[in-house]
């Protein structure tokens, strides 16, 4: 696999690999000003990209657009919740989100997703990959792409972390690195909020551990010397990062946070994991997915959303505040996304079913023109009336906002693979 | 003719485009229904095509209707209580009764007091005629043990109107003395609440209906049993009968035939049996022997039932629910 690097300026000093550059830059920050690299526009942009982070709030099971970002009060499909005005004149959201309503300046809503796949498995894959896998190609998901694009090889923190502590829907939302290789798979936390087996065993000294690492590396490099295998290379890369990752275990420990901050986030598991996500992005992790299950409200949709949206509103607004106060929101994008939305029609169990034809997501922070709404559904929320967006368009928009050209191509063998599907276009209206 | 459970039979259904959450019967043919369209509709159940006439003024689902003399009182998810002049179809009074959804109303048997319960977790008792607040009853927790918003679903007066029972999402039931405004008994019904800590990390269930027996000795509580897949109303409909003063559960009826929530419980005046109604995607109406806790007769309803009114003298039951009003002979 290779990649067409469209940031290359053509000059000899720029004829270096991006990873080499980033690695050098990170290691020799002191020499940067001497080299005056930041005055080179393309390299400055590349360096800037380094700082970009993403926290994906994965609302597993399918959150209702009608009870979050696209309320339809007064319509038979609208349900019992009112719409409330936000701090941005003209934008109304569900009354279940009063805290987000006061913080709309940093958030853009896309109300016109039509992703066509109303199955949990297919929809979740689609909204992780931005498209469907092909028979011959397994694509990397958003986390894997961002780990590659925004991460750095010598990072001492994991570059792709995924929390999915509930069990329902987890199988549909597992990380997929595809042709990028295992190096970019997420560190998956599925049983608690802290990685298991990350700490060095007490029975092994740090010197022993270092020596074992060097021996493994020596043997491994000899083994692959005359072999050309991307999987072997990614395997080695993963091992090469172990010592860095081991030093990051404190990032997952919320007891390291002041109690006042923990109290702000609240006591729920989702809140705790969002606080860890903030700790991770602050330390340099480029992609964190916090999955909150389970929104599949075929029965008692309104009770379910009263419970879950109230939590989302509190935790998301606290997260945005926290990132903003730390100066991180400019470089950190927070996304809310599901595999699909929920039917406007209310069923006899007072539930809503699966619905991928006209639903919503939100983008906040980095690269986003906050206080905007893009697209519209009809008055009952049954169809997209304006500005239809598919999964590829959404991914192209996310990449663009992060400073990644969405029309970049990777190469799998000799085959060029665009970052997003060929018809995808950026929703420029939501970009800063 | 008085109602008898053996006679239970569906005699008429009227389809509606909306969801009907509450019903009050003016007489054997004229009923009022509270709707998901935020309005109150008057229907003549004897007409082939029941033509509704509207009373409007709420801004969300109308979940409580009570006839007080020649006035109708409505309650809704908008937190308001409204008094209506039925002759002129005019709003007489509007009270900001609660900060959150009003889930249920109950009128005392003497017609003088009206109780409302809300997701603000407060029960208020009102002078049913002038709308003054008589009691503010606070004894239910605002959040569940898992830190999520709780809900206060239902209330019922005792026959002598001296007691009021209220029940919430986690299965906590309180019996209040209405002279002192104090709690006299609390009962826990944990089987009514499902918290799924692993697969889905959220909850479903709660006590959705409560009724005192006419002699005041029994308190019947309805809801849904534990649910495996809480995406749906997949639990058995559940009824528990208590000797409330002893805090002793006499019967637990987990129905193998019907799933979903027991939304309403109404005792027959003779106290020998009571009616339970509710459902999941479909609905049920059943009559239960109060002494044995056994089902006397049951019937599937075509849709989830949200409210019922028993007219004992006419041997008639009016049930309303998802897109339907149905008339049952008893």
């Amino acid at each position: 696999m290779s990649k067409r690097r469209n940031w290359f300026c053509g000059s000899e000093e720029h004829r270096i690999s991006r990873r080499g550059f980033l690695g050098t830059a990170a290691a020799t920050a002191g020499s940067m000003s001497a080299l005056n690299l930041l005055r080179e526009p393309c390299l400055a942009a590349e360096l800037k990209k380094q700082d970009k982070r993403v926290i994906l709030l994965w609302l597993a099971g399918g959150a209702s657009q009608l009870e979050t970002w696209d309320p339809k009060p007064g319509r038979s499909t609208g349900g019992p919740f009112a719409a409330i005005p936000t701090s941005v004149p003209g934008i109304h959201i569900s009354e279940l989100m009063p805290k987000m309503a006061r913080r709309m300046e940093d958030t853009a809503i896309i109300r016109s997703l039509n992703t066509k796949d109303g199955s949990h498995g297919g929809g979740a894959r689609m909204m992780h990959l931005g498209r469907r896998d092909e028979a011959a190609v397994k694509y990397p998901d958003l986390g894997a792409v961002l780990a590659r694009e925004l991460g750095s090889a010598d990072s001492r923190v994991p570059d792709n972390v995924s929390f999915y502590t509930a069990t329902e829907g987890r199988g549909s939302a597992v990380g997929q690195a595809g042709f990028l290789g295992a190096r970019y798979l997420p560190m998956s936390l599925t049983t608690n909020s802290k990685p298991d087996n990350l700490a060095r065993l007490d029975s092994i000294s740090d010197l022993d551990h270092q020596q074992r690492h060097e021996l493994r590396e020596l043997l491994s490099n000899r083994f692959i010397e005359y072999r050309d295998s991307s999987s072997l290379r990614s395997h080695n890369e993963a091992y090469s990062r172990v010592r860095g990752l081991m030093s990051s275990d404190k990032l997952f420990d919320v007891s390291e946070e002041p109690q006042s901050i923990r109290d702000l986030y609240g006591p729920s598991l989702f809140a705790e994991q969002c606080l860890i996500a903030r700790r991770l992005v602050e330390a340099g992790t480029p992609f964190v997915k916090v999955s909150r299950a389970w929104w599949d409200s075929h029965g008692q949709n309104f009770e379910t959303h009263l419970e879950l949206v109230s939590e989302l509103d509190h935790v998301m607004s606290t997260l945005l505040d926290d990132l903003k106060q730390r100066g991180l929101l400019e470089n950190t994008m927070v996304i809310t996304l599901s595999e699909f939305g929920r039917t406007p029609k209310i069923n006899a169990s007072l539930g809503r079913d699966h619905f991928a034809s006209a639903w919503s997501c939100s983008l906040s922070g980095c690269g986003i023109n906050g206080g905007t709404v893009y697209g519209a559904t009809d008055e009952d929320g049954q169809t997209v009336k304006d500005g239809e967006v598919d999964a590829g368009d959404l991914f192209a928009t996310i990449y663009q906002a992060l400073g990644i050209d969405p029309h970049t191509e990777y190469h799998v063998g000799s085959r060029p693979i665009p970052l997003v599907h060929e018809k995808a276009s950026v929703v420029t209206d939501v970009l800063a | 003719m008085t109602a008898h459970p053996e006679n239970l039979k569906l005699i008429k259904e009227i389809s509606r485009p909306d969801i009907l959450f509450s019903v009050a019967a003016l007489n054997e043919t004229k009923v009022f229904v509270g709707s998901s369209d935020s309005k109150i509709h008057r229907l003549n159940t004897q007409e082939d095509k029941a033509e509704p006439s509207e009373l409007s003024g709420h801004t969300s689902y109308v979940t409580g209707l009570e006839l007080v003399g020649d006035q109708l009182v409505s309650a809704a998810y908008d937190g308001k209580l409204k008094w209506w002049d039925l002759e002129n179809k005019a709003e007489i009074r509007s009270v900001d009764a609660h900060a959150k959804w009003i889930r249920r109303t109950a009128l005392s048997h003497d017609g003088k007091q009206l109780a409302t319960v809300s997701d603000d977790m407060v029960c208020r008792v009102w002078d049913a005629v002038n709308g003054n607040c008589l009691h503010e009853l606070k004894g239910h927790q605002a959040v569940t043990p898992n830190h999520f918003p709780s809900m206060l679903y239902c209330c019922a007066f005792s026959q002598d109107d001296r007691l009021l029972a209220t029940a919430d999402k986690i299965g906590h039931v309180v019996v209040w003395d209405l002279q002192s405004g104090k709690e006299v008994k609390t009962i826990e019904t944990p089987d009514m609440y499902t918290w799924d800590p692993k697969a889905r990390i959220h909850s479903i269930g709660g006590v959705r209906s409560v009724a005192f027996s006419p002699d005041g000795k029994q308190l019947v509580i309805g809801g849904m049993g534990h649910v495996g897949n809480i995406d749906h109303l997949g639990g058995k409909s559940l009824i528990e009968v208590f000797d409330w003063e002893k805090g002793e559960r006499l019967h637990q009826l987990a129905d193998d035939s019907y799933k979903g929530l027991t939304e309403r419980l109404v005792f027959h005046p003779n106290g020998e049996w009571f009616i339970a109604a509710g459902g999941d995607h479909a609905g049920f109406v059943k009559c239960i022997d109060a002494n044995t806790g056994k089902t006397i007769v049951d019937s599937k309803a075509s849709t989830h039932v949200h409210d019922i009114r028993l007219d004992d003298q006419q041997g008639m039951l009016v049930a309303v629910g998802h897109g339907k009003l149905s008339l049952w002979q008893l």
Side-chain angles (χ1 to χ4, degrees):
Chain A
M1 187 275 300
S2 62
K3 181 186 166 201
R4 184 179 299 166
R5 297 183 174 87
N6 58 2
W7 50 266
F8 179 53
C9 294
S11 59
E12 188 58 33
E13 60 269 36
H14 298 171
R15 196 178 296 281
I16 51 179
S17 77
R18 175 174 168 268
R19 282 198 177 277
F21 169 74
L22 293 177
T24 304
T28 59
S31 63
M32 295 289 283
S33 57
L35 290 169
N36 211 17
L37 291 174
L38 291 174
R39 291 191 181 172
E40 297 292 340
C42 58
L43 288 180
E46 186 64 18
L47 265 185
K48 196 176 170 189
K49 201 163 73 177
Q50 241 189 139
D51 296 327
K52 303 291 173 65
R53 314 279 181 249
V54 171
I55 298 174
L56 170 61
L57 305 180
W58 178 251
L59 310 181
S64 170
Q65 68 284 0
L66 296 149
E67 275 71 58
T68 51
W69 305 116
D70 193 11
K72 301 288 181 186
R75 304 300 300 179
S76 63
T77 55
F81 296 108
I84 54 173
T86 68
S87 54
V88 178
I91 298 179
H92 289 66
I93 60 176
S94 170
E95 67 170 312
L96 290 173
M97 307 189 82
K99 293 176 181 175
M100 280 306 301
R102 295 195 293 272
R103 295 166 173 83
M104 281 306 296
E105 290 85 352
D106 298 311
T107 296
I109 300 168
I110 294 177
R111 286 179 172 158
S112 49
L113 288 168
N114 180 2
T115 51
K116 298 184 172 63
D117 192 334
S119 68
H120 286 300
R125 283 289 84 197
M126 172 92 78
M127 302 316 296
H128 274 70
L129 303 176
R131 55 188 152 189
R132 294 186 190 285
D133 277 326
E134 297 175 28
V137 180
K138 278 180 86 73
Y139 291 107
D141 66 15
L142 182 67
V145 170
L146 296 182
R148 177 181 164 83
E149 293 292 330
L150 305 180
S152 56
D154 58 350
S155 171
R156 292 176 66 83
V157 296
D159 52 22
N160 185 1
V161 176
S162 170
F163 294 94
Y164 203 130
T165 315
T167 56
E168 192 67 28
R170 192 194 293 162
S172 303
V174 294
Q176 176 171 313
F179 55 75
L180 290 182
R183 158 71 179 81
Y184 299 104
L185 279 173
M187 173 189 280
S188 291
L189 293 106
T190 56
T191 55
N192 55 46
S193 302
K194 201 170 177 183
D196 293 327
N197 307 318
L198 196 61
R200 174 173 52 78
L201 292 174
D202 291 339
S203 57
I204 303 172
S205 72
D206 190 55
L207 180 62
D208 280 346
H209 190 264
Q210 176 69 35
Q211 288 175 338
R212 289 181 189 197
H213 173 73
E214 287 169 0
L215 178 61
R216 189 211 61 79
E217 195 169 49
L218 175 70
L219 295 172
S220 184
N221 286 341
R222 280 187 187 172
F223 182 74
I224 66 169
E225 192 172 2
Y226 300 106
R227 294 172 173 83
D228 183 18
S229 164
S230 59
S231 64
L232 280 174
R233 277 198 303 277
S234 67
H235 187 72
N236 269 349
E237 275 197 73
Y239 265 108
S240 72
R241 303 180 66 243
V242 163
R243 286 181 62 79
L245 295 180
M246 285 175 65
S247 67
S248 69
D249 66 335
K250 281 193 184 307
L251 293 173
F252 294 89
D253 186 356
V254 288
S255 69
E256 298 275 326
E257 282 288 318
Q259 189 60 44
S260 58
I261 298 292
R262 296 172 68 182
D263 290 343
L264 283 176
Y265 276 82
S268 71
L269 180 68
F270 179 58
E272 182 181 276
Q273 292 175 341
C274 282
L275 175 53
I276 297 170
R278 191 273 288 159
R279 288 173 62 80
L280 285 164
V281 299
E282 189 172 35
T285 296
F287 182 81
V288 185
K289 179 174 77 173
V290 183
S291 300
R292 195 344 174 168
W294 179 244
W295 295 71
D296 197 20
S297 48
H298 293 284
Q300 299 286 284
N301 174 76
F302 306 115
E303 267 77 1
T304 299
H305 280 74
L306 188 53
E307 189 168 270
L308 297 182
V309 182
S310 299
E311 181 192 44
L312 174 67
D313 181 52
H314 175 75
V315 175
M316 182 177 178
S317 57
T318 304
L319 175 65
L320 293 182
D321 286 354
D322 197 7
L323 290 168
K324 201 168 191 175
Q325 283 165 11
R326 289 163 192 273
L328 292 169
L329 192 57
E330 279 186 15
N331 288 331
T332 305
M333 182 189 295
V334 178
I335 305 168
T336 67
L337 192 60
S338 300
E339 58 263 49
F340 43 63
R342 306 214 72 84
T343 49
K345 184 180 179 185
I346 299 162
N347 69 32
S349 299
L350 291 181
R352 296 190 191 272
D353 302 310
H354 301 182
F355 188 67
S357 304
W359 58 290
S360 305
C361 69
S362 74
L363 307 168
S364 306
C366 176
I368 297 301
N369 182 22
T372 59
V373 169
Y374 180 81
T377 52
D378 64 35
E379 59 186 5
D380 285 327
Q382 301 280 10
T383 59
V384 171
K385 188 176 71 177
D386 182 39
E388 184 169 301
V389 170
D390 73 6
D393 300 328
L394 174 64
F395 274 50
T397 306
I398 292 169
Y399 292 139
Q400 185 75 47
L402 294 167
I404 301 164
D405 182 349
H407 299 293
T408 296
E409 290 179 341
Y410 293 118
H411 278 77
V412 177
S414 59
R415 180 182 166 180
I417 305 282
L419 204 52
V420 293
H421 71 72
E422 290 174 358
K423 293 179 183 172
S425 57
V426 173
V427 182
T428 54
D429 291 25
V430 305
L431 298 180
Chain B
M1 177 186 177
T2 60
H4 193 282
E6 302 290 355
N7 296 334
L8 183 70
K9 181 183 174 187
L10 178 67
I11 54 174
K12 185 169 186 176
E13 281 194 327
I14 297 170
S15 291
R16 295 275 310 170
D18 46 357
I19 309 166
L20 305 180
F21 289 99
S22 50
V23 61
L26 190 60
N27 54 43
E28 63 270 27
T29 58
K30 290 187 178 127
V31 300
F32 296 92
V33 293
S35 170
S36 60
D37 67 8
S38 308
K39 296 172 184 169
I40 300 146
H41 299 276
R42 189 170 72 176
L43 306 174
N44 185 333
T45 59
Q46 295 306 304
E47 292 176 359
D48 287 342
K49 185 181 179 187
E51 201 65 45
S53 59
E54 298 171 358
L55 298 170
S56 61
H58 285 291
T59 56
S60 193
Y61 293 0
V62 179
T63 51
L65 286 179
E66 305 291 347
L67 282 159
V68 179
D70 58 358
Q71 297 178 1
L72 181 71
V73 185
S74 61
Y77 278 177
D78 60 11
K80 294 185 188 303
L81 266 178
K82 288 179 182 284
W83 277 254
W84 303 89
D85 175 341
L86 293 176
E87 190 173 335
N88 298 311
K89 295 185 182 177
E91 183 182 312
I92 298 167
R93 183 187 305 114
S94 179
V95 173
D96 291 328
H98 289 276
K100 293 186 178 178
W101 289 359
I102 299 176
R103 294 281 188 167
R104 189 72 59 86
T105 59
L107 186 66
S108 61
H109 295 85
D110 64 6
K112 292 179 179 174
Q113 299 177 88
L114 179 73
T116 53
V117 286
S118 163
D119 282 355
D120 62 13
M121 305 310 285
V122 178
C123 173
R124 290 195 172 90
V125 182
W126 310 84
D127 184 313
V129 178
N130 64 25
N132 290 336
C133 185
L134 305 173
H135 293 290
E136 194 173 73
L137 308 175
K138 297 179 178 176
H140 293 270
Q141 295 299 311
V143 294
T144 68
N146 308 101
H147 314 294
F148 292 97
S150 191
M151 299 158 197
L152 187 52
Y153 283 123
C154 56
C155 56
F157 284 94
S158 62
Q159 186 72 33
D160 61 8
D161 296 328
R162 295 175 64 181
L163 303 169
L164 184 79
T166 55
D168 68 19
K169 178 165 186 169
I170 63 168
H172 181 65
V173 184
V174 181
V175 178
W176 306 85
D177 181 330
L178 287 177
Q179 288 197 314
S180 65
K182 304 286 188 192
E183 292 183 12
V184 291
K185 192 75 181 179
T186 59
I187 296 170
E188 304 303 328
T189 61
D191 290 347
M192 298 286 183
Y193 177 63
T194 298
W195 164 251
D196 179 342
K198 187 176 179 187
R200 295 168 174 87
I201 316 185
H202 79 87
S203 66
I204 201 166
V207 175
R208 304 301 180 110
S209 48
V210 61
F212 281 99
S213 59
D215 64 6
K217 292 179 178 173
Q218 290 183 347
L219 186 66
V220 185
I221 291 160
M224 180 172 63
H226 278 298
V227 187
N229 178 353
I230 67 173
D231 308 346
H232 303 261
L233 293 173
K236 293 176 179 179
S237 78
L238 186 63
I239 294 165
E240 299 188 348
V241 182
F242 284 85
D243 178 329
W244 69 269
E245 284 183 293
K246 292 180 182 171
E248 179 185 344
R249 190 173 70 190
L250 305 174
H251 308 291
Q252 185 181 56
L253 178 59
D255 198 311
D256 287 323
S257 304
Y258 298 103
K259 289 185 176 177
L261 301 162
T262 303
E263 296 273 17
R264 295 285 168 160
L265 292 163
V266 174
F267 260 92
H268 185 265
N270 71 13
E272 296 293 317
W273 56 281
F274 60 85
I275 303 167
D280 55 353
H281 215 75
F284 64 81
V285 174
K286 51 192 173 185
C287 300
I288 294 158
D289 186 309
N291 295 313
T292 64
K294 304 289 186 192
T295 299
I296 304 167
V297 62
D298 60 4
S299 181
K300 188 176 179 182
S302 60
T303 188
H304 189 122
V305 176
H306 287 291
D307 195 10
I308 55 175
R309 288 284 170 172
L310 172 65
D311 184 337
D312 180 49
Q313 292 304 311
Q314 297 295 322
M316 185 76 74
L317 181 76
V318 184
V320 296
H322 195 90
K324 290 270 196 249
L325 179 148
S326 56
L327 296 176
W328 298 72
Q329 179 185 294
L330 270 168

